[in-house]
Amino acid sequence: MSDAVLGDRRARMLAAAALLALLLGLPPFLGSYYHYVASLALINIIIAIGLNLLIGNAGQISLCQSSFMAIGAYATTYLSAKLGLSYWVALPAGGCLAGVFGLILGVPALRLQGFYLAVVTLGFLELAQLLIEQLPWITGGVRGMASPRPWLAGLRLSRDLHFYYVILACTLLLGWFAHSLLRSPTGRAFNAIRNSPSAAQTLAIPLAATKLTAFVISAFYAGIGGGLFATLVGFIDPVEFGVGTSIRHLVFIVVGGLGSVTGAVLGAVILTVLPEALRGVKEYSEFVYGGLLLLVLMVFPGGLVGLWPALRDRLRISDPEHRSRRPAEDSVS
């Protein structure tokens, strides 16, 4: 392994350790508002990672991530608040229920793709919105329902700081799982299907099972994010899970970078914090927000995740020592 690769790996590990220390140590010195915004950004990271696995890696279009988020939110709240189930059981159960619906929705993906699949997922979103409004004994209907904070080791996690650490733990766990998944045979199968389904089939990759797996995992991530979101805000209603929310999730991964866990993290964090930072110019916030999105997409069509590699390569090319080594390396090659 070359010194450059080792150096890059060491730099990434140091950066990850510094970021983790910051995430753990800084929040106690901040106010409740910052705890809430940080928690919301972490939840968006979870949902964006799941959507990126489906779209960016497996190449399957979905416009209903907010519907799976709603399933997780309502299931977690109903099981814990109304049925008395432990929150730590209700949360993964809500994610699993969202995964089941992801499996059901994934069946049309076996024969549809592109625009037609997008229409099917959009139809599922509208159906989910209708069911939320028409099942008030479960969801509270248009009036919504309260989602109380859970207990942990005899302590009610009423403060946003306490629940922030729960969300952080979930984000780190699911982020690690996605990172490992993409380096597994399943992750390589996702990318193969995205690049060429016919070529993937010649490599004996089961197209149906792989597509369904992508839908289930993506829906599970959204369900977990929805359950955490419901508990964070303390109240949920159908407005939170409309088409605008799904489009926002899609923007996260497009701006951050399709097919990359790091890109999903960047997009979710920046586009969660940005509206909060623009509160001072509220009348121009939408204009600034949209302008920045267009600028990123025009200048970095591959997303923000490609910014550092491009900058690093440019710095290497401008390095005199690097230029002096190039003729010798080229002559050897």
Side-chain angles (χ1 to χ4, degrees):
M1 188 176 295
S2 66
D3 292 340
V5 174
L6 286 174
D8 287 344
R9 179 173 295 182
R10 190 177 299 112
R12 287 197 298 268
M13 292 179 64
L14 289 174
L19 179 60
L20 180 59
L22 188 67
L23 292 173
L24 292 173
L26 182 61
F29 300 98
L30 301 176
S32 179
Y33 170 75
Y34 296 98
H35 300 154
Y36 173 80
V37 174
S39 298
L40 188 61
L42 291 173
I43 291 172
N44 285 335
I45 286 174
I46 293 174
I47 300 171
I49 289 176
L51 186 60
N52 214 355
L53 289 173
L54 178 65
I55 298 180
N57 295 105
Q60 304 301 303
I61 301 297
S62 175
L63 297 178
C64 63
Q65 195 75 343
S66 64
S67 298
F68 298 127
M69 183 182 173
I71 292 170
Y74 282 104
T76 300
T77 303
Y78 183 81
L79 291 174
S80 60
K82 293 192 175 182
L83 298 186
L85 196 65
S86 169
Y87 180 82
W88 312 110
V89 176
L91 179 63
C96 290
L97 182 61
V100 171
F101 278 92
L103 177 64
I104 296 172
L105 181 64
V107 173
L110 303 181
R111 294 188 177 183
L112 299 176
Q113 58 183 349
F115 171 78
Y116 300 101
L117 181 57
V119 171
V120 169
T121 59
L122 191 59
F124 179 81
L125 184 146
E126 295 298 331
L127 177 61
Q129 285 275 292
L130 181 63
L131 289 177
I132 291 174
E133 296 176 3
Q134 298 300 318
L135 298 175
W137 58 91
I138 297 177
T139 65
V142 294
R143 295 184 177 181
M145 63 190 303
S147 181
R149 292 288 175 87
W151 292 78
L152 180 63
L155 174 67
R156 191 175 188 86
L157 304 179
S158 56
R159 294 180 59 192
D160 286 341
L161 176 62
H162 297 155
F163 198 59
Y164 160 82
Y165 284 111
V166 172
I167 298 173
L168 177 62
C170 293
T171 305
L172 293 175
L173 178 61
L174 293 175
W176 170 82
F177 177 80
H179 179 79
S180 302
L181 177 70
L182 291 178
R183 282 154 179 76
S184 70
T186 301
R188 290 192 289 271
F190 284 175
N191 291 321
I193 289 179
R194 178 199 63 200
N195 293 327
S196 175
S198 57
Q201 198 166 16
T202 61
L203 296 174
I205 293 176
L207 298 185
T210 304
K211 289 181 180 180
L212 291 177
T213 299
F215 269 98
V216 169
I217 294 175
S218 177
F220 175 80
Y221 272 66
I224 295 295
L228 294 171
F229 174 78
T231 310
L232 175 66
V233 300
F235 186 84
I236 49 176
D237 59 56
V239 178
E240 301 285 351
F241 309 107
V243 65
T245 302
S246 279
I247 293 176
R248 187 164 64 249
H249 295 154
L250 187 61
V251 172
F252 288 163
I253 63 174
V254 172
V255 171
L258 291 172
S260 168
V261 173
T262 304
V265 172
L266 285 175
V269 170
I270 292 174
L271 296 181
T272 300
V273 174
L274 185 60
E276 300 297 328
L278 294 175
R279 283 183 178 270
V281 287
K282 186 175 181 180
E283 60 273 20
Y284 304 108
S285 60
E286 294 294 333
F287 175 78
V288 176
Y289 186 80
L292 287 175
L293 292 182
L294 288 176
L295 179 63
V296 169
L297 293 176
M298 288 179 0
V299 178
F300 306 107
L304 294 175
V305 73
L307 178 60
W308 167 244
L311 180 61
R312 180 188 57 195
D313 293 341
R314 183 168 298 180
L315 290 174
R316 284 179 177 174
I317 293 174
S318 62
D319 182 10
E321 184 179 353
H322 176 79
R323 288 202 306 265
S324 65
R325 289 198 305 265
R326 288 188 63 183
E329 293 172 356
D330 294 341
S331 62
V332 171
S333 62

